[in-house]
Amino acid sequence: MNDVISTIIEHRSIRYFEDKPLSDEQIKTIVSCAQSAATSSYMQAYSIIGVKDKLCKKKLAELAGNQEYVEKNGHFFVFCADLYRHSVIGENEKKNVLPSIESTENFMVALIDASLAAQNAAIAAESMGLGICYIGGIRNNLEEVKTLLKTPERVLPLFGIAVGYPKQITDHKPRLPFEHIYHENEYQQDKEVYVKQLQEFDEVVSSYYEQRTGGKRKDRWTEQMAVMLERPNRVYMKDFVQINKLDLK
Amino acid sequence: MNDVISTIIEHRSIRYFEDKPLSDEQIKTIVSCAQSAATSSYMQAYSIIGVKDKLCKKKLAELAGNQEYVEKNGHFFVFCADLYRHSVIGENEKKNVLPSIESTENFMVALIDASLAAQNAAIAAESMGLGICYIGGIRNNLEEVKTLLKTPERVLPLFGIAVGYPKQITDHKPRLPFEHIYHENEYQQDKEVYVKQLQEFDEVVSSYYEQRTGGKRKDRWTEQMAVMLERPNRVYMKDFVQINKLDLK
């Protein structure tokens, strides 16, 4: 196993960091790694906002559901899908690019571009001995996040990544069985096999929680998912996305 | 610069591969790296289809716009956003998860999860001396791709990654200036600065093409983007996504 693969495999989310900021050089390296990711049709349809300001971080932490590690870390990156840039380009080049920019296709492109860049940033940070945690919680209150970070129309903050010197080492969380995530040649739709794989994974997750909590918790994964998904979350998202002139047609 | 960072920075798209398939062990390592990526609320909302069958690859290559490297490579991975799994879970656990699964929020989650996994796979493959190329072209004809790969409702093939032993080393493509992609504390909306950064990048891209083609090509990036985006692409996407019961509300 080479260093790259072991860095990738060793990933776990870190939620407690030393009170030590990243250096500008570290930030630059991480962003430069993000930018090295592939980008659909060379579009580079994303932006990164690095939050250093303490008050801004405190406010973001509140907006993300009082997650302390959004405030207390070495640096906080916000990854945004960004088609504002391309609207400015359209204006300057005097081409009507709006139908394109407002399409579901390019909404997807921007999400994919931002996510590929983010994962490069995450792996780069981890390779430097730093810990990371993705923060989807910034999507709890995007209107306020948008005002705080002054993002224009057609820019959608997707998630944050808290980065810092780890204060605590956490466990790996088990993943779905290889055979369930990976299909050969075609999607395996045999329901019996499919459900059996889920049951096997339920046992793995259940004993993971049992061991970790000294028997207090032993929820199955499918149970956890069903309970969580029964209550729709961030139901304002479609409107928010469309008000920001993305994913319209 | 450590090995991980240099692997990331050294990325370039490879489109010509030796006629040598990846081993099952290599495939397993790559998928296992994909699965190690962070996943929103532990949802693991993606699947990977590995295409080995020669006829299937040939057909995919045609559907992706006759891209030869979709057919001729060491292995072809298709990354899919997948909320079908969670619909099966809802049935089995007798919870109504459909409003959740059909929301824009979870459409975004599935796209992000699939993309983070894919980028781990890409970096892992590159660290093993393999070359990769992302293939957005599979989105040209998703109805046919869906039939070919037998993906159920709520599964959306997003892109492929062709992987293999590189037959040709290509150049790095320049990226937008650091200051343009990376904002501190808030999105820099000063239009004059913003446009100046784009002009600077135009010069970089223009001389990149000039050098690479012996003067035959010297398009600016913003020109390239405007020309491309003037013609909307994959306009069927919104309908396709919604017919597949994703991103509905």
Side-chain angles (χ1 to χ4, degrees):
Chain A
M1 198 187 287
N2 66 45
D3 283 0
V4 178
I5 290 170
S6 64
T7 299
I8 290 174
I9 297 282
E10 282 301 308
H11 164 73
R12 68 265 329 264
S13 292
I14 299 294
R15 293 185 175 84
Y16 297 94
F17 301 100
E18 305 285 347
D19 184 18
K20 185 180 170 189
L22 265 60
S23 69
D24 287 343
E25 202 193 327
Q26 284 173 314
I27 294 170
K28 217 157 182 167
T29 301
I30 290 170
V31 172
S32 157
C33 284
Q35 289 199 264
S36 297
T39 157
S40 322
S41 305
Y42 204 16
M43 276 184 67
Q44 310 180 70
Y46 66 95
S47 286
I48 307 169
I49 303 174
V51 186
K52 270 189 178 170
D53 181 79
K54 285 194 176 167
L55 205 66
C56 183
K57 278 171 106 167
K58 195 177 161 64
K59 188 83 186 113
L60 263 184
E62 284 166 23
L63 291 172
N66 292 310
Q67 299 192 47
E68 206 190 19
Y69 36 100
V70 174
E71 186 183 352
K72 295 182 178 167
N73 50 52
H75 199 63
F76 193 76
F77 295 94
V78 177
F79 282 79
C80 307
D82 188 343
L83 290 163
Y84 167 70
R85 182 178 295 124
H86 300 81
S87 73
V88 173
I89 290 172
E91 275 171 38
N92 287 355
E93 297 287 319
K94 301 194 178 22
K95 304 261 186 214
N96 181 17
V97 299
L98 298 187
S100 221
I101 282 181
E102 293 169 359
S103 67
T104 296
E105 162 65 14
N106 277 318
F107 176 63
M108 288 167 57
V109 161
L111 258 72
I112 294 167
D113 270 14
S115 304
L116 301 186
Q119 188 55 16
N120 263 8
I123 296 295
E126 289 179 327
S127 80
M128 293 155 79
L130 300 165
I132 69 117
C133 187
Y134 275 88
I135 312 289
I138 66 158
R139 290 200 306 280
N140 290 350
N141 294 287
L142 275 182
E143 194 56 56
E144 291 87 342
V145 168
K146 190 181 148 75
T147 307
L148 191 66
L149 303 180
K150 296 199 172 56
T151 52
E153 251 178 21
R154 310 185 198 281
V155 172
L156 183 66
L158 292 179
F159 47 77
I161 305 184
V163 182
Y165 294 88
K167 218 175 174 171
Q168 191 198 38
I169 297 304
T170 47
D171 292 335
H172 280 290
K173 241 169 158 178
R175 293 293 192 253
L176 282 164
F178 171 82
E179 297 74 18
H180 190 73
I181 279 281
Y182 182 76
H183 307 249
E184 205 167 283
N185 293 320
E186 56 187 56
Y187 199 97
Q188 299 306 324
Q189 289 208 39
D190 181 327
K191 207 80 169 264
E192 209 171 307
V193 176
Y194 199 85
V195 170
K196 199 161 162 268
Q197 290 166 341
L198 291 174
Q199 282 164 349
E200 278 166 24
F201 185 55
D202 272 347
E203 282 166 32
V204 173
V205 170
S206 178
S207 63
Y208 163 80
Y209 283 126
E210 201 171 357
Q211 280 195 326
R212 218 175 153 223
T213 63
K216 276 184 210 149
R217 224 182 125 175
K218 41 182 170 178
D219 25 339
R220 293 171 296 115
W221 183 70
T222 58
E223 177 191 5
Q224 204 183 94
M225 288 301 113
V227 169
M228 180 180 82
L229 291 170
E230 202 183 15
R231 207 167 46 100
N233 195 15
R234 302 169 189 152
V235 287
Y236 75 101
M237 194 58 76
K238 184 164 211 72
D239 286 344
F240 183 84
V241 165
Q242 297 200 334
I243 287 165
N244 280 280
K245 302 193 181 162
L246 293 164
D247 194 20
L248 284 169
K249 49 199 159 213
Chain B
M1 199 188 287
N2 66 45
D3 283 359
V4 179
I5 290 170
S6 63
T7 299
I8 290 174
I9 297 281
E10 283 301 308
H11 164 74
R12 68 266 326 265
S13 293
I14 300 294
R15 293 186 174 83
Y16 297 94
F17 302 100
E18 304 285 348
D19 185 16
K20 184 180 170 188
L22 265 60
S23 69
D24 287 343
E25 203 193 325
Q26 284 173 314
I27 294 170
K28 216 155 183 173
T29 301
I30 290 169
V31 171
S32 158
C33 285
Q35 289 199 264
S36 296
T39 156
S40 321
S41 306
Y42 204 17
M43 276 184 66
Q44 310 180 71
Y46 65 96
S47 286
I48 307 168
I49 303 174
V51 186
K52 271 189 178 170
D53 182 80
K54 285 194 176 168
L55 204 66
C56 184
K57 278 171 106 167
K58 195 178 162 64
K59 186 83 185 116
L60 263 184
E62 284 166 24
L63 292 171
N66 293 310
Q67 297 191 50
E68 206 190 19
Y69 36 100
V70 174
E71 185 182 352
K72 295 184 177 164
N73 50 51
H75 199 64
F76 193 75
F77 295 94
V78 177
F79 281 79
C80 307
D82 188 344
L83 290 162
Y84 167 70
R85 182 178 295 124
H86 299 82
S87 73
V88 172
I89 290 173
E91 275 172 38
N92 287 355
E93 296 287 319
K94 303 193 179 16
K95 304 260 186 214
N96 181 16
V97 298
L98 297 187
S100 221
I101 282 181
E102 293 169 358
S103 67
T104 296
E105 162 65 16
N106 278 317
F107 176 63
M108 287 167 58
V109 161
L111 258 73
I112 295 167
D113 270 15
S115 304
L116 301 186
Q119 188 55 17
N120 263 9
I123 297 294
E126 290 178 326
S127 80
M128 293 154 78
L130 301 165
I132 69 119
C133 187
Y134 274 88
I135 312 289
I138 66 158
R139 290 199 305 280
N140 289 350
N141 293 288
L142 275 182
E143 195 56 56
E144 290 86 341
V145 168
K146 190 180 148 75
T147 306
L148 191 67
L149 303 180
K150 297 200 173 52
T151 52
E153 251 179 21
R154 309 186 199 280
V155 172
L156 184 66
L158 292 179
F159 46 76
I161 305 184
V163 181
Y165 293 87
K167 216 172 174 174
Q168 190 198 40
I169 296 305
T170 47
D171 291 336
H172 279 289
K173 240 169 158 178
R175 293 293 190 254
L176 281 163
F178 171 82
E179 297 73 19
H180 190 72
I181 278 282
Y182 182 76
H183 306 250
E184 205 168 283
N185 293 319
E186 56 188 56
Y187 200 98
Q188 298 307 323
Q189 290 208 37
D190 182 327
K191 206 82 169 260
E192 210 170 305
V193 176
Y194 200 85
V195 170
K196 199 164 161 267
Q197 289 166 340
L198 291 175
Q199 283 164 347
E200 278 167 25
F201 185 55
D202 272 347
E203 283 166 32
V204 173
V205 170
S206 177
S207 62
Y208 162 81
Y209 284 125
E210 200 169 358
Q211 280 195 328
R212 217 174 154 226
T213 62
K216 275 183 212 149
R217 223 184 125 174
K218 42 182 169 177
D219 25 340
R220 293 170 297 113
W221 182 70
T222 58
E223 177 191 6
Q224 202 184 95
M225 288 300 113
V227 170
M228 179 179 83
L229 292 169
E230 201 183 16
R231 207 167 46 101
N233 195 13
R234 302 168 189 152
V235 287
Y236 76 101
M237 194 57 76
K238 184 165 210 70
D239 286 344
F240 182 83
V241 164
Q242 297 199 336
I243 287 165
N244 281 281
K245 302 194 180 163
L246 293 164
D247 194 19
L248 284 170
K249 49 201 160 213

